[in-house]
Amino acid sequence: MNVEVTEDAIKAEISKCRMFIDFMLKQQQWSGINREDIDRWISNFAGISESEKLLAYKLLSNLIYYSEKDVIEALKEGIYNCLLKKTILEKQILSDFTLSSQALLQIEKDELKKTCFIPLLDSNAPHESGNYVSRLLVQQGMINSDHSIFLNNIEETFNTIGFSRLVIIDDCVGSGDQLRDFWNINAEVKFNGKNTLLKNYCRAKKIDVNYLTLFGYEPSIERLKSELAELNICCVRGLNDLQRVFVEGSYVWENEVERKIAIKFFERLTRDVMIPFYGYKGLDFAFIMHRTIPDWSLPIFWKEKDDWQLLLRRKNSNA
């Protein structure tokens, strides 16, 4: 039996969403956006019914949002628990697990001395968030500044300092296209006076090459591991299909009926303002990390038009 929901009940649900949003802003969990950003985005939904407005508030209050603090914690975990995990485990096994905490800390320091980091950058967007993650490595004291370089400095740096490990560092992965293009097509370095693909350079120099991303769509990460077997791929926080917005079983909606109503509403809304319904490669996440929103998050959060206000501006790259 269907129970009719009263307008007062709908308004009460909207009020709960607002209270939650206020809490997230006050706690700095949604670092990088403020009340003005929220109000500007919500203004897109003026003049609609309360039940439709509730769908917008539910979507907003269910953002998967990683604050700057979360990003720093994920980066530390990526360096110490993902990137160096295999090496440290091997040394633990050799010592029959008798290494002290002090000895393990020294191993970490020694391994990082051998390691150089470069940001994964799209040639069309050199200002993008890969640079931000690289800067955090230095700012948080995880590496020395001369261990963070750009692609065009690789040969000189490796010849001068003698690194044995290279880490391509990134913030997030949706489709994986950016890494594919970078590794297979775009990443070139000078080697013996000629332009050479980075992967061929690493193979010739016997460099241990790794890719570390903080957040990633799990099916894409698994495909990348299969396709790019020469890369040691590490993803700190995975996103699965149930964390998408419009898939069956999505965490956002109360039940299947509400999910289908939401799809119809947002499909009509995006069609009317001529904004794509899905993000890049058909993905539909409500994912944001500190001041960064990827194009595989829903475009209604980051597209801007005369008749549509964005929540957060994004960098241009296909992740």
Side-chain angles (χ1 to χ4, degrees), residues 205-267:
K205 301 279 282 187
K206 294 182 171 54
I207 295 169
D208 174 21
V209 59
N210 304 260
Y211 171 73
L212 174 63
T213 185
L214 304 185
F215 312 101
Y217 179 41
E218 290 173 348
S220 294
I221 295 294
E222 292 307 310
R223 284 193 292 271
L224 288 169
K225 287 180 177 179
S226 175
E227 294 171 23
L228 309 178
E230 64 272 21
L231 276 176
N232 174 34
I233 295 176
C234 303
C235 177
V236 183
R237 303 269 192 274
L239 300 167
N240 61 48
D241 279 318
L242 293 183
Q243 290 172 291
R244 293 168 62 177
V245 173
F246 296 120
V247 297
E248 186 175 350
S250 169
Y251 73 103
V252 177
W253 314 111
E254 187 173 343
N255 51 45
E256 185 65 7
V257 172
E258 185 177 62
R259 182 182 77 90
K260 290 180 177 179
I261 291 172
I263 289 174
K264 288 182 179 179
F265 168 66
F266 286 107
E267 278 183 334

Side-chain angles (χ1 to χ4, degrees), residues 278-297:
Y278 288 108
Y280 185 69
K281 287 298 179 76
L283 293 176
D284 54 338
F285 284 95
F287 172 90
I288 299 177
M289 55 173 282
H290 178 68
R291 295 182 179 173
T292 303
I293 182 166
D295 58 1
W296 41 273
S297 275

